[in-house]
Amino acid sequence: MKINRRLFVLGLILALASLVPLAWMFLIVTSKGPPSPREASREPAIPDGPPIPTSHIPTASERLLEGYADPSTPPIEDLKKVQRVVAGYFSVVKDASRFPIGGNADLAAALRGENPNRETYLPEGHPVFSKDGLLIDRWGSPLVVHPEAWTQLELRSAGPDKIAYTSDDLVMKPSGK
């Protein structure tokens, strides 16, 4: 019984001892009072902080197109990159009835956000778009987009001569070949 009483007293002393620092802090805070007008005028109304970055975060499609039209890469790589973006588009957009892809203008518009999901894959002004908003190859010619099925598009670059359906054309079949 004596041991229980001693433990109770010891616990009570520890509990009171832990309240002393809290009471001390309360007295310090309440005794200071509100700042004088002179002190308040020295404090900035809005604290200075680092500027909020407004940098552009590239979409997944923009990352897939990194290095597009880079002269150090083979031109067929450009078509492969566009095909990867198109594959990503068709993996998300499943509704063929409202925004069918009939050619370059349709595909370009769909990638800019004119699609059933209203999702932007590539922003307006991306280097893959011409001033007219069409998908272009590294020579500045519009890509020929030929749909073979809803999710299967053949991509054709007119090549260096900028004339489609000649011997220097680059073609990417839906199969990736």
Side-chain angles (χ1 to χ4, degrees):
M1 194 69 162
K2 282 187 172 183
I3 293 174
N4 285 340
R5 198 177 277 169
R6 285 184 186 169
L7 286 175
F8 175 76
V9 171
L10 181 61
L12 186 62
I13 291 172
L14 289 173
L16 289 174
S18 67
L19 291 178
V20 170
L22 292 174
W24 182 262
M25 291 174 62
F26 176 76
L27 289 174
I28 290 174
V29 170
T30 57
S31 67
K32 190 173 181 181
S36 67
R38 189 174 184 184
E39 288 175 335
S41 66
R42 285 187 250 154
E43 297 177 13
I46 300 172
D48 292 335
I52 297 171
T54 57
S55 62
H56 171 72
I57 298 173
T59 63
S61 297
E62 287 178 280
R63 282 184 256 135
L64 287 172
L65 285 173
E66 286 179 353
Y68 186 81
D70 182 348
S72 67
T73 60
I76 193 69
E77 290 299 318
D78 297 346
L79 293 181
K80 288 180 181 177
K81 290 176 183 191
V82 172
Q83 188 181 47
R84 286 186 207 119
V85 171
V86 170
Y89 171 79
F90 285 126
S91 71
V92 174
V93 177
K94 307 282 187 198
D95 186 1
S97 63
R98 293 191 298 171
F99 294 89
I101 305 295
N104 188 330
D106 295 334
L107 179 60
L111 295 177
R112 285 192 305 266
E114 293 178 34
N115 57 63
N117 297 3
R118 296 288 180 210
E119 184 168 337
T120 300
Y121 292 83
L122 296 170
E124 194 84 38
H126 189 277
V128 77
F129 295 124
S130 68
K131 290 179 183 175
D132 299 334
L134 296 176
L135 294 163
I136 56 172
D137 63 14
R138 65 173 57 195
W139 297 280
S141 299
L143 294 178
V144 177
V145 177
H146 178 75
E148 293 184 357
W150 157 237
T151 61
Q152 298 180 351
L153 303 177
E154 177 187 276
L155 303 173
R156 177 181 293 267
S157 164
D161 72 355
K162 300 183 178 186
I163 301 170
Y165 299 99
T166 59
S167 62
D168 70 342
D169 287 6
L170 303 166
V171 179
M172 179 63 60
K173 295 282 187 187
S175 63
K177 297 183 179 184

